[in-house]
Amino acid sequence: MTMTAIITGANRGIGHEVARQLAERGFQVWVAARNSDSGNMAAEKLRKDGLKAAFLQLDVCDPSSIRNAFTRFIGEQDRLDVLVNNAGILLDESRNILELDRGDILSTIETNTLGPLLVVQTFAPVLHEGSRVINVSSGAGEICGGMSTYAPVYSISKTALNAVTCQLAHALHRNQVAVNAVCPGWVRTDMGGSGAHRSVAKGAETIVWLATGAPASETGKFWRDKRVISW
Ligand code: NAP
């Protein structure tokens, strides 16, 4: 049976690379993106390489878009093996927490924290024993480790995403669905910038491993480079 994966924010960056790597492993991938033009183009690019990819319109900040994506998905598939909550924004890289704009605070938390939670809530009916949910977090949210003054609300949103990960891991444990958070490292994308140390292939590596190769019993943890790191 063909395995299925949904990756949010898969039109570019790490999300697109994760979609490619999973498709190369035989998955039918759903390239979820908020923008139809770039989402369709990204799915088409994978299909041109002989991979199984379809576009799924999904804005993680828009509950009706998430519901419509679910309706579209269940029209074609009845089970979801892998869900990668990758979509994210970084608006406050060089800002001071004391001067943060309320709108930026809300949109960062809505995209990076609430969005992944709503996506899992909506798609939970098609998750099954052995499904894997991967939340793409960041070392910036590592409250016991590296937190500094860097990107305050982005960092807070990722700390909260880690808490969402723990909650979901417990809530879905009885269904034997694994839920993990992962830091991809500093990656050369629009968000990471050209000076970042890692390629998108390296950034996608542990996400794809959690989706495919990690023991299914691993859940409720935070990972980087296939190792557990502190919250
Ligand atoms: P990126 O190149 O900026 O791509 C971000 C993706 O998220 C784009 O596809 C974007 O879509 C999508 N997105 C943003 N808001 C969305 C929404 N409301 N609904 C649906 N999609 C939305 O970033 P990236 O570097 O690939 O980052 C991917 C993930 O890795 C993020 O969660 C990020 O926090 C995390 N991360 C990245 C790094 C790094 O160094 N790059 C380090 C640690 C963690 P549009 O094209 O429509 O904007």
Side-chain angles (χ1 to χ4, degrees), residues 33-221:
R34 59 181 165 179
N35 181 285
S36 297
D37 289 340
S38 65
N40 267 312
M41 269 169 53
E44 178 62 23
K45 210 157 102 186
L46 298 179
R47 284 196 298 271
K48 275 194 178 140
D49 291 337
L51 302 170
K52 292 192 281 284
F55 166 61
L56 188 64
Q57 200 283 331
L58 198 163
D59 182 337
V60 302
C61 295
D62 178 355
S64 66
S65 158
I66 301 173
R67 279 195 302 274
N68 291 342
F70 179 69
T71 304
R72 160 98 205 279
F73 181 82
I74 57 168
E76 297 194 33
Q77 323 250 217
D78 53 9
R79 45 196 273 138
L80 176 60
D81 300 294
V82 168
L83 171 58
V84 181
N85 280 308
N86 163 80
I89 56 171
L90 166 59
L91 303 177
D92 61 335
E93 193 166 17
S94 51
R95 306 248 203 99
N96 182 323
I97 191 168
L98 298 174
E99 291 156 12
L100 276 186
D101 174 77
R102 184 174 186 273
D104 287 349
I105 295 171
L106 291 175
S107 51
T108 300
I109 290 174
E110 191 176 25
T111 309
N112 295 358
T113 314
L114 182 58
L117 173 56
L118 294 183
V119 171
V120 176
Q121 286 179 338
T122 306
F123 282 83
V126 284
L127 297 173
H128 58 89
E129 181 183 335
S131 292
R132 295 162 184 233
V133 175
I134 297 115
N135 293 328
V136 183
S137 185
S138 168
E142 207 180 325
I143 198 162
C144 302
M147 192 170 285
S148 65
T149 55
Y150 170 77
V153 76
Y154 174 80
S155 301
I156 290 165
S157 73
K158 295 296 191 179
T159 308
L161 177 62
N162 288 349
V164 165
T165 303
C166 279
Q167 286 282 343
L168 288 173
H170 285 292
L172 290 168
H173 188 68
R174 68 171 184 276
N175 307 67
Q176 296 187 50
V177 174
V179 186
N180 287 286
V182 56
C183 169
W186 186 26
V187 182
R188 286 188 296 282
T189 60
D190 293 339
M191 184 186 290
S194 56
H197 299 133
R198 295 188 171 197
S199 64
V200 280
K202 182 70 182 165
E205 186 178 274
T206 298
I207 301 169
V208 170
W209 175 75
L210 283 168
T212 57
S217 55
E218 294 288 13
T219 189
K221 295 177 181 169

